[in-house]
Amino acid sequence: MRPDPEGCCLRRIADRLGAFAQILRGLVETMPINKRENRGYNPILHARSKNYFWKGKGALSIKTFKNGRAFYHAGRGHFAVEEGNYLLLNHGQEYSITIESDVPVESFCIFFPERMVEEVYRSIMTSDEQLLDDPAVPKQMSVDFVEKTYHDHWLTASLFQIKSEYADPQRDAAWLEEKLCELAHGLLKVHRQVHQEMLKLQSLKTSTREELYKRIHMGHEFLSAYFDQSLTLTDAARAACLSPNHFLRSYKQLFGMSPYQYLVRRRLQESKRLLLQTDWPITDICLSVGFQSPSTFSSLFSKRFSMTPSQFRQKR
């Protein structure tokens, strides 16, 4: 029978993950978050904490959070991660994480074994004949993901499934290795979609488009992370390491709106959530999301949702 090259890949991954099996069986949802986040012996971190800070380097990882936000500083980027999105960080990236909340914030993070995604990528892109002749992944092969927050529904659903099942005693390392391989396939699909998005930018050279895409997203992530503060175009452009005019023009090409338009939309989204989930006075909500004038807030809210903040709250 002809050998299965992907099976060989899985067996090598299984060898690396075998040591994780016993640890997985003992994991529970209430694991303290004050353990090191990037521990090499465990591909899953599931924890809760109100206040937490850690800094260091980690493996290729997916970060998700619920019931609050976590702030990451990685390279030159600032990221706010909350329910509905996830952050992807490359292997070896130095970063810091900060959580400051009145209620426990739940984290669920996946750490991939080194070279795993490269093995999956090679199994997709290489012929069976080549894989049979040389099953090892070349050391020079690497996959460099764009570090940003993502909103991919398939990957989010897969993460939720792992989160709901991984603590089951029947879920051993064999189950986990399959799930990690599926996630790796999903990440590579998202990676291809990102390169399609780059084509929106009007640059002739591929390398220029890629760098510009990353910088625009650094500015976008900065706006997303600090939307509730007083921000200017210059602030976002500085975070992106671009001139204000270059950032404005390129941002419109990529997102189809201006940075200010995104900032207003993000603030209105948060105000809508607070109107539904809290009893805060409307003026307090207005100021907490970054608007400086209650009348401006009411006008923008009415234009966006076809009712005033007071009317919206009454309908909850």
Side-chain angles (χ1 to χ4, degrees):
M1 181 180 295
R2 183 177 175 178
D4 177 8
E6 291 197 9
C8 294
C9 167
L10 286 174
R11 282 192 292 275
R12 290 196 301 274
I13 295 167
D15 291 340
R16 292 204 298 266
L17 288 172
F20 299 153
Q22 294 298 323
I23 298 166
L24 270 177
R25 295 190 185 101
L27 274 172
V28 293
E29 284 192 359
T30 54
M31 185 178 68
I33 199 169
N34 59 3
K35 303 292 185 182
R36 287 180 54 127
E37 187 185 15
N38 71 332
R39 293 173 297 173
Y41 59 82
N42 191 352
I44 292 179
L45 175 69
H46 190 185
R48 292 184 178 89
S49 181
K50 293 182 179 179
N51 296 280
Y52 178 63
F53 176 82
W54 185 85
K55 182 177 181 179
K57 292 183 179 181
L60 172 66
S61 55
I62 302 174
K63 320 289 191 183
T64 71
F65 292 85
K66 185 179 180 181
N67 300 328
R69 293 198 292 173
F71 290 90
Y72 281 83
H73 184 201
R76 300 194 305 267
H78 299 257
F79 309 91
V81 194
E82 57 191 343
E83 191 166 3
N85 67 10
Y86 64 87
L87 173 64
L88 183 61
L89 294 180
N90 286 306
H91 176 81
Q93 174 63 273
E94 184 171 352
Y95 66 91
S96 65
I97 171 178
T98 302
I99 297 175
E100 295 178 352
S101 175
D102 294 331
V103 297
V105 178
E106 182 179 357
S107 63
F108 185 77
C109 305
I110 298 286
F111 299 86
F112 289 88
E114 188 174 359
R115 310 291 294 165
M116 179 183 187
V117 171
E118 284 77 9
E119 289 186 10
V120 173
Y121 178 76
R122 187 167 186 261
S123 73
I124 296 172
M125 302 301 295
T126 308
S127 69
D128 287 348
E129 289 73 16
Q130 289 176 293
L131 290 171
L132 286 170
D133 291 339
D134 185 11
V137 179
K139 291 184 179 180
Q140 66 271 22
M141 177 182 285
S142 64
V143 179
D144 184 31
F145 294 98
V146 175
E147 295 181 325
K148 68 185 188 78
T149 54
Y150 291 80
H151 303 267
D152 179 76
H153 295 298
W154 180 89
L155 204 66
T156 300
S158 297
L159 290 168
F160 179 79
Q161 182 189 16
I162 295 173
K163 179 181 175 181
S164 62
E165 297 181 12
Y166 81 96
D168 188 330
Q170 297 181 9
R171 304 303 189 187
D172 57 12
W175 173 83
L176 179 61
E177 76 184 55
E178 289 187 5
K179 293 301 178 184
L180 290 181
C181 277
E182 291 173 4
L183 283 178
H185 276 276
L187 286 180
L188 292 170
K189 289 180 180 178
V190 172
H191 190 52
R192 287 196 295 271
Q193 293 170 2
V194 164
H195 280 269
Q196 288 297 314
E197 288 181 0
M198 290 180 184
L199 298 177
K200 296 179 182 179
L201 298 174
Q202 299 171 2
S203 299
L204 295 178
K205 292 179 62 177
T206 300
S207 59
T208 302
R209 259 200 318 268
E210 291 180 358
E211 179 62 24
L212 183 57
Y213 180 91
K214 291 177 180 179
R215 293 197 189 190
I216 295 168
H217 266 282
M218 283 196 298
H220 178 73
E221 296 290 349
F222 182 84
L223 293 172
S224 297
Y226 304 113
F227 70 89
D228 54 353
Q229 299 182 25
S230 178
L231 299 177
T232 65
L233 174 64
T234 300
D235 293 331
R238 187 182 297 114
C241 298
L242 295 171
S243 70
N245 185 63
H246 191 191
F247 177 70
L248 175 61
R249 173 167 52 84
S250 301
Y251 191 99
K252 286 181 177 180
Q253 288 178 8
L254 189 59
F255 290 102
M257 67 180 77
S258 72
Y260 173 74
Q261 288 171 326
Y262 168 74
L263 200 57
V264 169
R265 189 178 73 170
R266 182 66 184 88
R267 287 170 174 171
L268 290 176
Q269 287 174 340
E270 181 65 10
S271 68
K272 185 178 179 181
R273 184 189 70 82
L274 292 172
L275 286 167
L276 286 173
Q277 299 181 7
T278 74
D279 293 320
W280 293 3
I282 292 176
T283 299
D284 291 353
I285 291 177
C286 161
L287 298 175
S288 72
V289 301
F291 290 112
Q292 298 180 356
S293 165
S295 61
T296 300
F297 166 57
S298 181
S299 175
L300 290 169
F301 192 96
S302 299
K303 184 176 180 180
R304 174 78 175 177
F305 301 114
S306 300
M307 63 182 75
T308 66
S310 298
Q311 291 170 336
F312 178 82
R313 170 168 274 175
Q314 291 172 1
K315 289 180 175 293
R316 65 179 178 177

